[in-house]
Amino acid sequence: MLVRVDQLTKEAAAAGYGIAAPCPLDFECIKWCFETASTLKAPFIICYHAWKNDGMSAEELADGVKYYAARYPEVPMGLCLDHGRSYEDAARAIQAGFTAVMVDRSDLSDEENAAAILEAVKLAHAANVSVEAALGGAQTRDASLEQREGTLTNAPSARKFALATGVDAIAVAVGSYHGDVKDQEAIMHYDLIQELKATVPVSLVMHGCSFLGEEKLRKSAQLGISKFNVQGELLNAGMQAAKGRLLEQGGCVSTAELNRVIRDAYVAQLTDFMTAIGNAGRL
């Protein structure tokens, strides 16, 4: 059942758990996400990365999500545009049936960011679609520690931004970052998460959640992060399982068998992720 994303994140924030937001790249992964959520009785969100998805268009992904949402009506879920860059990106996603749009202009000053997102907020809210913005933002792995620390989200600024724009969620920088991150490399600022939760009147989102480890995920959810974007960790699990079967165990007799190997690894990793953030058993 497709619902507004902020409906899910508000419930999660109030109860101290997180919602998994995987970013599938094909129809098989969409199906696996629904199967996993149904088994775990977990509400969830599917994200579409606006500029990092060569496998399908936003419209194709939306069609796939709507297909499976109709077959799993017991699972409330949202469909979110991830890292849209413009009003036009938001409009296209809304037309396709997304229930949330992210307009990421965290490269701008807070004032310019707010100005850039205001029109998208008006459009989305008129269509009963929630809006996510970003302040600070998750760095990439090649960023230095100094660079990552320098872009941490400022809580008073985030509150001001939320009130000025009317957004429903803000992706905050609290120590995670995009890429093949080793658990010990990410320095999580739990005191900042607590301050943001107490200060900012909208849902908090964390990007770059792959490879953080169970403890960092669990604690971040308990302290106030309500949406956790994940992609690399799930894809890596499938790729490593396929590599192991093909190179170390004599291969597969069919593509169907190989697909099952990838599926089992992807689902197992998503299960662990949902469990870590307290997402499982919420229905």
Side-chain angles (χ1 to χ4, degrees):
M1 176 176 59
L2 264 170
V3 300
R4 275 180 59 138
V5 166
D6 64 332
Q7 175 182 323
L8 302 176
T9 57
K10 286 176 182 177
E11 292 173 2
Y17 66 91
I19 302 284
C23 307
L25 296 179
D26 56 40
F27 293 112
E28 286 293 323
C29 290
I30 294 172
K31 178 182 179 182
W32 301 339
C33 289
F34 273 93
E35 291 173 344
T36 306
S38 179
T39 298
L40 295 181
K41 300 187 183 304
F44 75 110
I45 299 159
I46 280 182
C47 289
Y48 176 82
H49 203 305
W51 48 272
K52 199 177 180 182
N53 194 320
D54 296 327
M56 65 177 75
S57 68
E59 290 81 4
E60 288 173 325
L61 180 129
D63 286 345
V65 166
K66 285 182 274 190
Y67 176 88
Y68 285 107
R71 282 151 182 77
Y72 291 89
E74 76 281 7
V75 180
M77 59 85 57
L79 176 57
C80 182
L81 174 70
D82 191 28
H83 293 290
R85 295 285 291 171
S86 67
Y87 177 93
E88 289 74 22
D89 286 341
R92 179 181 174 189
I94 292 168
Q95 182 65 32
F98 283 62
T99 62
V101 292
M102 178 192 186
V103 180
D104 180 5
R105 295 315 311 268
S106 56
D107 56 316
L108 303 175
S109 69
D110 288 356
E111 293 75 17
E112 292 171 322
N113 189 353
I117 202 171
L118 272 172
E119 291 305 312
V121 170
K122 293 177 185 177
L123 174 70
H125 285 180
N128 195 30
V129 171
S130 60
V131 181
E132 177 183 330
L135 284 177
Q139 289 278 0
T140 57
R141 190 176 188 229
D142 56 2
S144 67
L145 177 60
E146 182 178 4
Q147 288 173 317
R148 295 200 297 272
E149 296 292 295
T151 59
L152 294 175
T153 302
N154 176 273
S157 295
R159 175 179 175 82
K160 179 180 178 182
F161 183 92
L163 294 174
T165 61
V167 296
D168 306 286
I170 296 178
V172 294
V174 293
S176 65
Y177 57 102
H178 293 294
D180 186 9
V181 181
K182 293 182 174 63
D183 177 27
Q184 66 272 22
E185 292 177 337
I187 301 173
M188 301 302 300
H189 294 263
Y190 299 119
D191 56 340
L192 178 55
I193 296 177
Q194 288 178 295
E195 183 184 6
L196 288 163
K197 177 68 183 301
T199 305
V200 182
V202 299
S203 301
L204 303 178
V205 178
M206 190 160 74
H207 290 226
C209 298
S210 291
F211 309 106
L212 287 181
E214 179 180 348
E215 176 60 21
K216 288 183 173 69
L217 292 170
R218 181 189 62 78
K219 192 167 183 178
S220 297
Q222 291 176 344
L223 291 177
I225 302 295
S226 57
K227 175 172 172 275
F228 290 76
N229 287 28
V230 60
Q231 182 186 52
E233 189 169 13
L234 306 179
L235 298 176
N236 182 72
M239 289 188 292
Q240 292 302 317
K243 179 180 177 181
R245 178 59 66 89
L246 292 173
L247 298 181
E248 299 167 12
Q249 299 182 32
C252 295
V253 298
S254 67
T255 55
E257 182 184 349
L258 180 60
N259 195 50
R260 285 193 294 272
V261 170
I262 297 170
R263 175 202 177 278
D264 290 347
Y266 187 102
V267 167
Q269 194 65 55
L270 181 56
T271 297
D272 288 347
F273 189 89
M274 286 181 159
T275 301
I277 61 176
N279 196 173
R282 297 294 175 174
L283 301 182

